[in-house]
């Protein structure tokens, strides 16, 4: 096996102080694909010290927007020259089909270039205040040392979404990938070093959530924590971040509705509904994991959807033409399978899939045949809880009012889609859906230009777009006195 994957702290590639290592497992066959160093609390403390010293020194935050833009473009250029290499590594570590990994690399490049382009655009505000001799304005400044924690479902893309705006704004950072998928993050940091991001600006710490992640959330010298992951973890991070009242942004879980009215082309709606739930093996925060069908098309729709779902090409991610791959880990597969048992016990009707695939080519990997549960009722656990796998819960509605009620009957509010040729109705429904990312007559397409984030228990704050840059800045008001006089408050004696 090749060299142990290292952390990048203060411009040096280092092993964890504890000397511990972690095996990285490929989900396609359960084999060890790499070993990486396993950081702990003390490694975070060292990385934070480097990030703080670098921020306080001031050289980085005083680089011009054009200098930072050139660095971000440099990272994007290097990624663009190595798309196949990054995609293959992501597929090896995460299991997703090569087509998906390749798309993720393109998205990461787009995100880096978007923020490279945004940072030298006009920003700030100027106010007309009641005193004609005072000029009042607002400028945006970097926050300081940021901590970033990301999950395993889009390892490289999540790193790009987090690092690009953070560095664009002039912060320094301690970044933690998921312990399950550290490989593309290590390669990305190699690129950060190659393009000349100064030592101490961007630091990579590898390790578990309970140790490295917890210290990032707690550390008193980190002024902002940005997290993407499950809602339960998000709650822990929010609690841990209270010590120094960190600025916080949370991109959490979802249980998003995909609503189909009977006036929309059935074949096309089936196609989108499949994409909504089964892309990335259903391991998508914004997945359309609740399908709401109008009663008039319910049976015909489900018959066609089950027929097409059974024909999805499931294969190892690097196989030609693979459409779905394995789930991320054995533990996660078992969690998903346990939800399928719960669905059966709750009385939902399983139309297809819902079992571990055991044919010889799948036997050692974590493959689950995509499952559709019909006849679900609003309070079933498979309707209310995020499964984060290829499991769809289908409900029937009669009219617009019922569709909206069911769509909002959840603690989450990340995403939602509606299909209807009646644009007025589609607009009424989507406006009534309490979610941050929505579509009409589509599901999933999103771009770095537009904000990403949820209502309710799906999170706090927004990534991407101009909002995503704002999340990494402090707002400062500056008042300039143009008059030569005194304050006039106390008599001069
Ligand atoms: P997770 O919450 O288990 O882990 C996410 C990250 O948090 C990992 O790096 C993990 O090591 C770390 N972590 C775990 N416990 C921690 C703790 N106590 N303190 C600090 N860090 C800790 O999530 P996951 O299983 O990796 O990812 C799946 C979840 O992520 C799903 O719920 C999904 O919806 C969510 N997600 C959300 C978005 C979004 O944009 N809203 C995007 C992708 C994934």
């Amino acid at each position: 096996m090749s060299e142990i994957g290292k952390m990048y702290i203060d411009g040096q590639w280092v092993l964890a102080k504890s000397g511990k290592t972690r095996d990285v497992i490929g989900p396609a066959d359960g084999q060890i694909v790499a070993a990486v160093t396993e950081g702990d609390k003390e490694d975070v403390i060292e990385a934070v010290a480097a990030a703080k010293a670098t921020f306080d020194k001031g050289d980085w935050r005083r680089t011009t927007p054009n200098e930072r833009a050139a660095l971000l473009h440099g990272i994007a250029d290097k990624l663009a020259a190595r798309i196949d290499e990054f995609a293959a590594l992501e597929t090896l570590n995460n299991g997703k089909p090569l087509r998906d990994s390749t798309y993720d690399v393109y998205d990461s490049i787009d995100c880096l270039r978007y923020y490279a382009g945004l940072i030298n655009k006009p920003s700030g505000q100027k106010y007309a205040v009641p005193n004609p001799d005072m000029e009042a304005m607002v400028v945006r400044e970097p926050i300081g040392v940021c901590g970033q924690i990301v999950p395993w479902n889009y390892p490289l893309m999540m790193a790009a979404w987090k690092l690009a705006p953070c560095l664009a704004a002039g912060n320094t950072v301690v970044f933690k990938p998921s312990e399950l998928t550290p490989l593309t993050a290590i390669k990305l940091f190699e690129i950060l070093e190659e393009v000349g991001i100064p030592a101490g600006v961007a630091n990579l710490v590898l390790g578990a959530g309970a140790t490295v992640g917890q210290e990032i959330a707690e550390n008193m010298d980190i002024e902002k924590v940005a997290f993407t992951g499950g809602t339960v973890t998000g709650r822990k991070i929010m609690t841990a971040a209270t010590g120094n009242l960190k600025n916080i942004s949370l991109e959490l879980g979802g249980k998003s509705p995909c609503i189909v009215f009977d006036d929309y082309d059935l074949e096309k709606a089936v196609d989108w509904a499949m994409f909504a739930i089964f892309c990335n093996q259903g391991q998508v925060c914004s997945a359309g994991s609740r399908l709401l069908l109008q009663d008039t098309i319910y049976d015909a729709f489900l018959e066609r959807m089950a027929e097409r779902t059974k024909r999805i090409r499931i294969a190892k991610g690097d196989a030609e033409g693979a459409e779905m791959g394995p789930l991320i880990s054995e533990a996660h597969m078992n969690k998903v399978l346990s939800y399928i048992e719960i669905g059966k016990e709750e009385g939902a009707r399983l139309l297809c899939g819902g079992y571990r695939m055991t044919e010889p080519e799948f036997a050692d990997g974590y493959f689950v045949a995509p499952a559709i549960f019909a006849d679900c009722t609003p309070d079933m656990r498979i309707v209310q809880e995020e499964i984060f796998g290829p499991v769809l819960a289908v409900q029937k509605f009669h009219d617009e009012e019922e569709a909206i009620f069911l769509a909002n009957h959840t603690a989450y509010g990340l995403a939602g889609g509606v299909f209807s040729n009646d644009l007025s109705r589609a607009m009424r429904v989507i406006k009534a859906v309490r979610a941050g990312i929505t579509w009409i007559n589509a599901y999933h397409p999103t771009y770095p230009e537009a904000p990403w984030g949820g209502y309710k228990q799906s999170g706090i704050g927004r990534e991407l777009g101009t909002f995503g840059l704002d999340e990494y800045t402090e707002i400062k008001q500056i008042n300039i006195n143009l008059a030569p006089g005194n304050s006039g408050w106390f008599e001069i004696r």
Side-chain angles (χ1 to χ4, degrees):
M1 195 183 303
S2 56
E3 208 192 324
I4 288 178
K6 296 198 176 88
M7 305 187 284
Y8 188 65
I9 298 177
D10 203 11
Q12 303 292 320
W13 289 97
V14 296
L15 294 170
K17 290 186 191 309
S18 69
K20 287 188 196 151
T21 59
R22 173 189 290 270
D23 290 336
V24 179
I25 308 296
D29 57 10
Q31 298 299 303
I32 297 170
V33 296
V36 296
T37 196
E38 173 76 359
D40 207 327
K41 187 176 164 159
E42 62 263 28
D43 302 291
V44 178
I45 291 170
E46 188 178 315
V48 174
K52 182 168 167 31
T54 307
F55 187 81
D56 289 348
K57 196 162 145 239
D59 298 353
W60 170 248
R61 69 172 190 263
R62 282 194 290 272
T63 50
T64 65
N66 281 357
E67 287 170 311
R68 295 199 297 281
L71 288 168
L72 293 181
H73 275 306
I75 300 167
D77 290 343
K78 286 192 179 280
L79 263 182
R82 293 164 64 182
I83 290 172
D84 292 346
E85 178 193 342
F86 270 85
L89 190 63
E90 197 78 300
T91 288
L92 179 75
N93 194 169
N94 171 284
K96 64 174 78 186
L98 259 181
R99 176 185 65 172
D100 303 33
S101 300
T102 306
Y103 176 86
D104 293 357
V105 187
Y106 278 110
D107 185 289
S108 306
I109 294 166
D110 286 350
C111 179
L112 286 154
R113 293 211 192 286
Y114 172 74
Y115 283 109
L118 185 65
I119 46 179
N120 59 10
K121 301 298 175 284
S123 69
Q125 290 170 336
K126 164 105 177 41
Y127 301 101
V129 292
N131 181 342
D133 289 329
M134 290 300 287
E135 293 286 338
M137 67 183 83
V138 151
V139 295
R140 288 192 171 268
E141 297 184 337
I143 296 173
V145 180
C146 299
Q148 300 183 321
I149 303 170
V150 299
W152 44 258
N153 61 337
Y154 289 96
L156 179 69
M157 217 169 90
M158 290 292 110
W161 284 21
K162 288 266 180 290
L163 290 167
C166 179
L167 296 176
N171 298 285
T172 59
V173 60
V174 175
F175 176 86
K176 182 191 116 52
S178 166
E179 57 275 33
L180 300 180
T181 52
L183 300 186
T184 48
I186 296 174
K187 281 265 167 263
L188 181 66
F189 270 77
E190 286 173 14
I191 288 182
L192 264 58
E193 182 185 29
E194 282 169 30
V195 301
I197 298 278
V201 168
N203 303 276
L204 170 71
V205 182
L206 305 176
T211 52
V212 171
Q214 183 75 19
E215 177 58 27
I216 289 175
E218 279 176 8
N219 191 288
M220 299 294 276
D221 286 326
I222 291 183
E223 295 186 62
K224 181 202 169 73
V225 64
F227 169 73
T228 299
T231 294
V232 172
T233 315
R235 231 174 253 128
K236 285 187 197 162
I237 287 178
M238 198 164 171
T239 307
T242 55
N244 61 338
L245 296 175
K246 283 183 183 59
N247 174 318
I248 188 165
S249 48
L250 303 173
E251 301 291 339
L252 308 177
K255 193 78 188 180
S256 301
C258 176
I259 308 163
V260 185
F261 286 91
D262 62 6
D263 62 351
Y264 200 76
D265 181 282
L266 187 139
E267 198 62 32
K268 289 196 181 108
V270 166
D271 189 73
W272 280 107
M274 287 173 64
F275 182 48
I277 177 61
F278 297 132
C279 109
N280 211 41
Q281 296 65 246
Q283 302 166 138
V284 184
C285 52
S286 53
S289 51
R290 291 183 298 137
L291 177 62
L292 309 183
L293 294 175
Q294 196 156 23
D295 46 13
T296 38
I297 52 166
Y298 190 79
D299 293 329
F301 193 105
L302 287 180
E303 189 183 337
R304 180 64 180 139
M305 188 169 181
E307 182 183 51
R308 278 201 57 192
T309 298
K310 286 178 200 158
R311 294 199 196 125
I312 292 176
R313 222 174 291 122
I314 299 170
K316 291 187 173 162
D318 59 1
E320 180 84 25
E323 294 179 321
M324 280 180 74
L327 301 188
I328 187 65
S329 66
E330 187 170 14
H332 187 59
M333 174 188 70
N334 287 335
K335 178 185 154 197
V336 170
L337 290 172
S338 77
Y339 267 108
I340 290 164
E341 290 312 309
I342 290 170
K344 290 179 193 164
E345 283 159 21
E346 287 179 317
R349 182 162 54 97
L350 185 60
L351 298 184
C352 60
Y355 53 87
R356 182 177 186 178
M357 299 175 71
T358 51
E359 294 88 333
E361 77 237 65
F362 300 130
D364 298 326
Y366 313 128
F367 294 83
V368 171
I372 301 176
F373 275 109
D375 306 346
C376 296
T377 53
D379 295 323
M380 286 180 175
R381 286 184 64 193
I382 59 164
V383 172
Q384 291 300 326
E385 297 174 21
E386 185 186 45
I387 300 173
F388 215 58
V391 183
L392 178 66
V394 188
Q395 292 170 267
K396 193 187 285 185
F397 68 86
H398 180 60
D399 56 14
E400 199 176 311
E401 195 185 342
E402 192 182 13
I404 293 167
F405 168 79
L406 292 174
N408 288 331
H409 188 70
T410 158
Y412 294 108
L414 189 57
V418 59
F419 290 82
S420 172
N421 282 327
D422 177 346
L423 195 55
S424 303
R425 172 167 68 182
M427 195 65 189
R428 277 195 305 275
V429 172
I430 217 68
K431 285 187 77 178
V433 170
R434 300 203 57 226
I437 309 153
T438 62
W439 298 271
I440 291 177
N441 299 340
Y443 203 102
H444 276 324
T446 47
Y447 311 93
E449 289 78 3
W452 179 272
Y455 287 22
K456 293 155 76 179
Q457 293 189 34
S458 288
I460 297 174
R462 292 293 178 274
E463 294 201 282
L464 302 180
T466 56
F467 299 92
L469 188 62
D470 291 350
E471 295 277 353
Y472 286 96
T473 61
E474 291 280 16
I475 298 168
K476 177 179 280 179
Q477 92 168 246
I478 301 177
N479 299 288
I480 308 170
N481 182 9
L482 306 180
N486 299 312
S487 73
W489 196 258
F490 296 106
E491 195 182 332
I492 299 171
R493 296 187 183 96

